[in-house]
């Protein structure tokens, strides 16, 4: 049974982000359109997804580096698309994902822009992603995360003012992230446990704090007690119940 925790007044409550969507629901798989729809229906703060560019320039939602036996970033879209996801769904385009976001824009899409082999390619992926979001006027429904600081730097340069951009790699202090123009830290659970002082430091600097990927009740409880802003989890239904 999930533990219920009361959160003291004056603090914004911890919010739940479904890691690669709410894929734990029966019939779904990670990064599928159904996983995003499930997260929307569950009513969490946001749903995370991973974006890669195919060899012929399409942006696809998939973790990678492989899809089936194909290396995503060096394979063309149609070849990848013929390879179904494990549950029979098609490999989604970012465009299709954003159309699903438009269906319920109050649930944020947290786009992780994956690392690519050159800075030029990463710049292009950032520009294409921002333009697909802009085309649908979904700027307020989308936040960005990346492991490569180059991707975050490019987002800081190119995204509209006020866009949320958080760094994933866990090796920069909150103060350094702030100096680079990032709006949050989004660090692995183990990193955050080793550096719990970063939570308070980030908050004092006005940065958001997100922790990934917290998949057990003990970890969820720790994050809630620390007052982090977001928990990224594969069990969003459990986290949501604990926060009720
Ligand atoms: Mg991811």
């Amino acid at each position: 049974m999930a533990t219920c925790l009361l959160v003291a007044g004056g603090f914004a409550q911890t919010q739940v982000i479904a890691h690669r969507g709410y894929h734990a629901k029966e019939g779904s798989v990670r990064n599928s359109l159904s996983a995003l729809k499930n997260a929307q229906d569950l009513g969490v703060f946001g749903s995370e997804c991973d974006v890669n560019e195919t060899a012929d320039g399409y942006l696809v939602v998939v973790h990678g580096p492989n899809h089936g036996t194909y290396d995503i970033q060096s394979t063309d879209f149609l070849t990848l698309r013929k390879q179904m996801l494990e549950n029979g769904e098609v490999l989604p385009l970012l465009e299709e994902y954003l159309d699903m976001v438009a269906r319920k824009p109050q649930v944020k899409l947290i786009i992780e822009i994956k690392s690519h082999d050159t800075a030029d390619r990463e710049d292009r992926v950032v520009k294409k992603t921002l333009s697909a979001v802009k085309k649908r006027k979904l700027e307020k429904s989308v936040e960005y995360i990346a492991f490569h600081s180059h991707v975050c730097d490019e987002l800081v340069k190119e995204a509209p003012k006020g866009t949320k951009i958080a760094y994933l790699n866990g090796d920069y202090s909150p103060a350094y992230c702030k100096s680079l123009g990032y709006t949050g830290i989004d660090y692995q659970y183990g990193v955050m446990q080793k550096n719990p002082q970063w939570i308070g430091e980030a908050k004092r600097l006005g940065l958001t704090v997100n922790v990934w990927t917290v998949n057990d009740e003990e970890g969820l409880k720790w994050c809630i007690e620390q007052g982090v802003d977001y928990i990224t989890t594969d069990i969003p239904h459990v986290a949501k119940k604990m926060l009720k």
Side-chain angles (χ1 to χ4, degrees):
M1 212 174 82
T3 319
C4 282
L5 296 169
L6 289 174
V7 177
F11 292 93
Q13 199 181 9
T14 301
Q15 302 271 6
V16 178
I17 294 173
H19 181 237
R20 307 182 199 171
Y22 178 19
H23 55 82
K25 194 167 175 192
E26 207 185 327
S28 189
V29 291
R30 291 171 164 79
N31 280 314
S32 63
L33 278 167
S34 67
L36 171 57
K37 184 176 181 296
N38 290 343
Q40 291 176 335
D41 293 345
L42 183 63
V44 285
F45 170 83
S47 189
E48 188 258 4
C49 72
D50 303 293
V51 169
N52 277 278
E53 190 193 45
T54 65
D56 49 347
Y58 287 86
L59 297 184
V60 286
V61 175
V62 60
H63 186 270
N66 298 311
H67 175 56
T69 56
Y70 301 108
D71 172 75
I72 294 153
Q73 296 181 7
S74 61
T75 306
D76 65 273
F77 173 64
L78 284 179
T79 303
L80 293 168
R81 183 83 152 185
K82 279 181 201 144
Q83 170 89 44
M84 295 296 166
L85 304 183
E86 289 154 48
N87 68 343
E89 284 184 61
V90 293
L91 176 80
L93 284 162
L94 176 63
E95 302 260 342
E96 292 166 326
Y97 236 67
L98 291 171
D99 288 341
M100 182 70 84
V101 173
R103 166 190 174 266
K104 198 172 182 185
Q106 62 271 37
V107 174
K108 312 258 187 220
L109 184 66
I110 319 301
I111 296 181
E112 179 185 344
I113 298 186
K114 284 294 183 190
S115 304
H116 289 71
D117 51 1
T118 66
D120 279 354
R121 195 170 186 194
E122 289 184 340
D123 294 352
R124 188 170 73 225
V125 173
V126 165
K127 286 196 180 81
K128 279 190 203 173
T129 303
L130 290 171
S131 123
V133 170
K134 188 179 176 191
K135 195 168 108 188
R136 291 167 179 78
K137 300 189 173 68
L138 288 173
E139 288 95 336
K140 291 204 162 59
S141 299
V142 178
E143 302 187 0
Y144 300 90
I145 55 177
F147 277 96
H148 264 188
S149 55
H150 178 78
V151 172
C152 290
D153 294 344
E154 193 62 17
L155 283 161
V156 170
K157 248 194 276 170
E158 298 292 333
K161 210 173 176 292
T163 301
K164 295 272 203 305
I165 300 156
Y167 178 62
L168 290 167
N169 208 38
D171 55 340
Y172 291 172
S173 72
Y176 189 55
C177 288
K178 173 88 176 178
S179 76
L180 295 171
Y182 308 165
T183 64
I185 56 169
D186 186 351
Y187 288 170
Q188 205 247 337
Y189 179 49
V191 170
M192 220 60 114
Q193 279 200 309
K194 267 182 228 149
N195 303 278
Q197 77 285 0
W198 279 357
I199 297 170
E201 185 188 332
K203 283 172 174 274
R204 282 191 295 278
L205 291 164
L207 298 177
T208 57
V209 178
N210 190 344
V211 186
W212 57 270
T213 305
V214 189
N215 285 340
D216 58 68
E217 288 198 16
E218 196 192 329
L220 294 169
K221 188 167 175 277
W222 185 84
C223 291
I224 295 164
E225 284 170 353
Q226 296 291 318
V228 307
D229 299 293
Y230 309 113
I231 300 171
T232 301
T233 176
D234 287 307
I235 47 170
H237 54 305
V238 176
K240 194 168 182 257
K241 220 178 265 175
M242 284 174 73
L243 282 159
K244 216 183 250 170

